[in-house]
Amino acid sequence: MGKPTGFLEYVREDARSRDPARRVLDWEEFHIPLPEDLRKQQGARCMNCGVPFCQTGMLYEGRTFGCPLHNLIPEWNDMVMRGNLSHALSRLLKTNNFPEFTGRVCPAPCEKACICGLYGGSPVTNRDNELTIIEEAFAGGRMPRRRPPQWSGKRVAVVGSGPAGLAAADQLNHRGHSVTVVEREAHPGGLLTYGIPNMKLPKSVVRRRIDLMTDEGVTFVCGLDAADPQIAQRLLRDYDAVVLCCGSEKPRPLGLETQGVSGVYYGTEFLKAAVERQTFGLDPAVPTAEGRHVVIIGTGDTASDCVATALRQGCASVTQLVRRPEADYLGSDGKLPLDYAHEEALAVTGRDPRRFAVQVQSLVAGTDGALTGVVTTEGDTLPCELLIGATGFAGCREDVCAAFGVETDRTVRTAPGGYSTNVEKVFAAGDMRRGQSLVVWAIAEGRDVAAEVDAYLDGYTNLVRAIE
C-alpha cells in the first residue's frame, strides 16, 4: 500500500463532464478524464483493506454487493497511484475481459461496497480508475493481439454478441478453440451496440474491441438468426459446443390497451432505432422524438437513456413516470440523485422530467389511431405523441430456445450451479440464463460458461470461474 493516509488526505473527485446544455447538441461521449496527478490521488484514496469488500461479488438482500468479476481493485488502484499503468493493466485484465465497457456503463457495485464510503465518507472512484487504465493501454499501444500458441481443433459457436457472448468467445478463443460468434443483427455487439446510446458507450469503442477479437482469431457472422430451426440444426451439427447468449429481450407488458394505437414503443426499440439512424445511417420504422411530446414509463438505465436520446432528437417535451414514491429514491443526504439524463433535462427544460408515484392509466388517440395523450393515475392528461415503455424484461427469446430444443421457464433452464442445458453440448449464459441484470454480471457469466465449455471439450480447464 503506497499511501496509508491517502483516504484522509484526498477527497473523491469524479471524472469531469461536459456542460449538459451543450452536450445534448451532439452524440459524443460526455465524460472528460482527470489529469494524471488527480487520477493518482484517486488511486491513493484506496485503503487496501484487510478484507476488500469491493471485490466480493455477491448478492445481498437482492442487490449486487462488490464486483461480480472479483476485480483485483486494491492492487490496480495502488498501481494507478504509483503511475505504473502497465502493471495495473495486467492485474485488471486478469479478471475483466472488457474494462472499456464496464468502466463506462457499470453502476459500480464495487464502490457501494467500498469501506472508504462508510460513515459519511466517499468511496474510491474505482470505475473511473478502471477506465483510465484500459484507455491509456489502448492509446499507448499496450493492447496487442494475443493469439493462442496452438489451436485445439475444437469448434464452438456462440449465439449472441452481447457482453456475455463476447466474454465467452474471448475466453474460449484464448484457450485455443476455434470460435464463431453468430449475431442476428447487421453489426456485432448486441446490447453494447444497439441498447446503449453513443454518448454513454461510443460505438467506436465497441468496434475497437470487435476488431481486436477478430485479429486474435474469433469469427463474427452477422445477419444470421439462430431462431431459424435450420440454422440451429446446422450449428448443432457443425460445432462441438454451442453457447446461447441471446439476452433477456422479452419486454415486460405495459398493461395498457394499445390495439389500433400508433406511437407506443418499448425502450429497447426506441434506443435501437436511434443507434441505427445516428450510427449506421438507416431509416427505421420507429420514429424519432423530434417535435414530439414524449412520455417514458419506468426508471433505471434504459429509461434514463431514453430521456437523453429524446432530448438529443429535439423532443417538444419529455416526462418520465416512476411507479414508486420519491422517498424511495432519496440518497443518504435526503436529496434526490440526478443521473446524466436528468441533468440534461434540467439544463434544457428547467425541470426534472420525473414524476413519482404515478403511472399511465389509459391512452388518448385521434380518429386515425395516432397517440395524442395519456391519462395518468392522478387524473390529468399529458400531451404525448410518443409513449416509451422502459419497465424491464420478462424473459428470454422463446424462438431461439425452441429452435435448439432447450427447456425454459422465464429463462433457460440449466444444470444446478452450471450452464449446461437439457440438450447435449448446448450451454446458456448471461441474461438468457439469469434474467435481466448488469453488464458486469453478463461478463462474469460469459467467463464462467467458457470454463465449463472448455472442461467439456478438453476434459479439464485452467480457466478460473468468477461465480461459485
Side-chain angles (χ1 to χ4, degrees), residues 165-237:
L166 290 181
D170 196 45
Q171 292 288 92
L172 290 167
N173 178 66
H174 288 145
R175 279 289 288 154
H177 305 303
S178 297
V179 181
T180 298
V181 179
V182 177
E183 171 58 49
R184 174 187 58 179
E185 302 295 345
H187 300 273
L191 166 76
L192 303 168
T193 295
Y194 289 96
I196 303 175
N198 193 76
M199 63 279 188
K200 194 171 176 182
L201 177 59
K203 304 313 155 197
S204 59
V205 170
V206 180
R207 186 73 250 178
R208 181 180 65 186
R209 177 58 71 167
I210 298 295
D211 289 344
L212 178 58
M213 291 179 64
T214 301
D215 198 24
E216 292 179 336
V218 178
T219 299
F220 289 88
V221 179
C222 296
L224 195 66
D225 193 349
D228 182 336
Q230 292 184 336
I231 299 297
Q233 290 306 307
R234 195 174 92 195
L235 294 177
L236 289 170
R237 182 183 68 244

Side-chain angles (χ1 to χ4, degrees), residues 35 261 331 446:
V261 179

Side-chain angles (χ1 to χ4, degrees), residues 74-108:
E75 296 185 30
W76 45 255
N77 272 332
D78 185 55
M79 291 298 104
V80 168
M81 186 211 70
R82 297 176 184 275
N84 189 348
L85 294 184
S86 292
H87 192 192
L89 178 69
S90 71
R91 306 310 289 163
L92 178 57
L93 293 181
K94 192 173 182 66
T95 56
N96 190 349
N97 299 69
F98 313 121
E100 68 271 33
F101 301 154
T102 54
R104 288 177 166 89
V105 304
C106 183

Side-chain angles (χ1 to χ4, degrees), residues 239-262:
Y239 290 85
D240 299 295
V242 176
V243 184
L244 303 179
C245 299
C246 303
S248 179
E249 293 188 350
K250 189 176 180 180
R252 186 176 291 123
L254 294 177
L256 298 169
E257 181 53 59
T258 60
Q259 185 69 30
V261 179
S262 61

Side-chain angles (χ1 to χ4, degrees), residues 336-462:
L336 184 64
L338 298 174
D339 68 13
Y340 83 104
H342 303 136
E343 291 176 347
E344 292 171 355
L346 274 169
V348 174
T349 68
R351 67 177 184 88
D352 190 316
R354 292 171 289 184
R355 285 182 57 181
F356 294 93
V358 61
Q359 286 290 274
V360 173
Q361 181 171 280
S362 60
L363 307 179
V364 180
T367 55
D368 59 353
L371 185 68
T372 60
V374 295
V375 180
T376 75
T377 50
E378 291 185 340
D380 60 327
T381 300
L382 299 175
C384 177
E385 291 94 21
L386 186 60
L387 177 64
I388 302 171
T391 55
F393 300 88
C396 62
R397 289 180 59 190
E398 297 169 349
D399 51 359
V400 173
C401 299
F404 284 92
V406 298
E407 295 177 350
T408 65
D409 36 44
R410 191 175 63 86
T411 57
V412 175
R413 293 179 185 170
T414 56
Y419 298 83
S420 60
T421 69
N422 61 296
V423 179
E424 175 67 22
K425 75 179 183 181
V426 177
F427 302 79
D431 289 2
M432 193 172 196
R433 187 191 82 101
R434 70 180 291 116
Q436 179 187 358
S437 191
L438 306 176
V439 167
V440 69
W441 273 112
I443 296 174
E445 291 235 337
R447 291 174 65 89
D448 267 24
V449 74
E452 190 166 319
V453 171
D454 186 40
Y456 169 80
L457 295 174
D458 286 347
Y460 79 101
T461 185
N462 61 7

